[in-house]
Amino acid sequence: MQISLELIRNVPQTPSFRVAFHGTKERFLLPYPCVHGLTFVNSCTRQTFSWLTSILAIAPLDDFVLRPYDRISFDLPSNINVAPETSLWWIELPPGEYDVHFLYHVERDTNWYDFLRKRSRFADVTPIWRGRLQSNVVRYVVGD
């Protein structure tokens, strides 16, 4: 399986990144990607910045089925330098150039509870994908 990342241009408010899952020859069950999987590394200092949240919450883990040779993508609004009360997750970045990649990591050994009853009808016969993948790197510039 592969993950591809691209910056979506011409988004009116917050920058968004599109993460796409593809390149598998098997059917897999995967959790939806979260914005805090985006990793921002300053291209000059190599400093990595952390996502912030002010809410501790328990939420259902929704999943999707990736079929062989399919491509499924998700748009992730990044909430860069926004007011904390406007977002569950945000990241504070000083002006500069950043290398951004998406890190996808699944190590769960338990079954997932389908809280919203949105699970694919093939989920029960689909193996859960487990592992760690990193996308390609895209450049993002934070202005003054």
Side-chain angles (χ1 to χ4, degrees):
M1 183 171 69
Q2 297 175 351
I3 299 176
S4 300
L5 183 68
E6 67 178 296
L7 175 63
I8 302 172
R9 307 250 181 233
N10 302 324
V11 178
Q13 295 176 346
T14 186
S16 288
F17 292 85
R18 180 167 292 143
V19 60
F21 296 80
H22 56 94
T24 182
K25 295 179 182 176
E26 300 176 52
R27 176 189 297 271
F28 286 116
L29 185 66
L30 301 108
Y32 281 104
C34 297
V35 71
H36 50 80
L38 289 170
T39 303
F40 290 81
V41 180
N42 184 289
S43 60
C44 294
T45 66
R46 305 311 302 163
Q47 179 182 1
T48 300
F49 290 79
S50 298
W51 286 91
L52 304 168
T53 187
S54 60
I55 300 171
L56 179 60
I58 296 174
L61 179 62
D62 287 334
D63 49 44
F64 66 97
V65 172
L66 181 63
R67 299 180 311 182
Y69 307 104
D70 278 0
R71 178 183 178 93
I72 298 175
S73 61
F74 302 90
D75 292 352
L76 303 173
S78 57
N79 299 316
I80 298 171
N81 299 336
V82 299
E85 60 274 3
T86 63
S87 179
L88 175 60
W89 291 99
W90 74 93
I91 192 164
E92 295 176 2
L93 301 174
E97 290 187 352
Y98 294 86
D99 294 327
V100 184
H101 66 267
F102 187 82
L103 182 61
Y104 192 69
H105 186 124
V106 180
E107 283 194 19
R108 293 180 53 103
D109 289 330
T110 60
N111 290 326
W112 300 336
Y113 177 65
D114 186 19
F115 182 76
L116 300 178
R117 299 187 189 277
K118 295 179 357 181
R119 177 164 284 173
S120 165
R121 59 191 167 111
F122 298 108
D124 290 335
V125 295
T126 304
I128 297 172
W129 181 89
R130 289 180 177 87
R132 182 181 184 99
L133 284 176
Q134 182 174 314
S135 74
N136 58 300
V137 174
V138 297
R139 182 62 53 98
Y140 179 72
V141 177
V142 176
D144 293 329

